Amino acid sequence: MSAGVRLLQGYLWVPRDLAFDPRDHLPGEAELEGVRVHLLLDPVEPPFAFFDDGTPSASQAFYQFTALVVTDADPEALRPLVAALRDWLAPRLEATPPGVGWLLLEDLRGV
C-alpha cells in the first residue's frame, strides 16, 4: 500500500520588504528518477525569535518547506532520491534574491 514519505523538511525565509514569493519561484512538483516529488511551501509564523546574529525573525516572512513522495518503498531506500532532489533544488535556491535564506534537512519519515 502506498504512503507519503517526507524527503526534506525545513524553512525558507524572505525579508518582509523584499517583493519575492518563493511559491512563485519553486514549482509544486518535480520529476526525479522517474518519481514525482511534491514540493509544498506554506506560510508559517517564525519558528524562533531571533537568528544567530541577533536579527529578529519577525523581520522575515517564513515558509515551511516539505518535499514528499507517495511510494511503497522503504523510506531508507529513498536516500538516493534525496540526493537527487538536493542537486535539483540547489541551483533554484541559489538563484533566489540576496537575503532569501533556507534550512532544509533530510527527514525520511512517513506522513
Side-chain angles (χ1 to χ4, degrees), residues 18-80:
L18 183 63
F20 178 79
D21 188 334
R23 295 172 294 186
D24 295 335
H25 184 71
L26 291 171
E29 60 185 38
E31 188 79 24
L32 300 167
E33 300 183 1
V35 177
R36 179 174 290 151
V37 178
H38 302 276
L39 307 173
L40 309 174
L41 274 169
D42 299 303
V44 295
E45 292 297 316
F48 46 85
F50 296 94
F51 288 93
D52 289 342
D53 67 358
T55 302
S57 61
S59 66
Q60 310 289 310
F62 273 79
Y63 299 85
Q64 183 170 335
F65 176 90
T66 306
L68 63 93
V69 295
V70 177
T71 183
D72 295 327
D74 174 30
E76 288 298 315
L78 299 173
R79 287 190 189 280

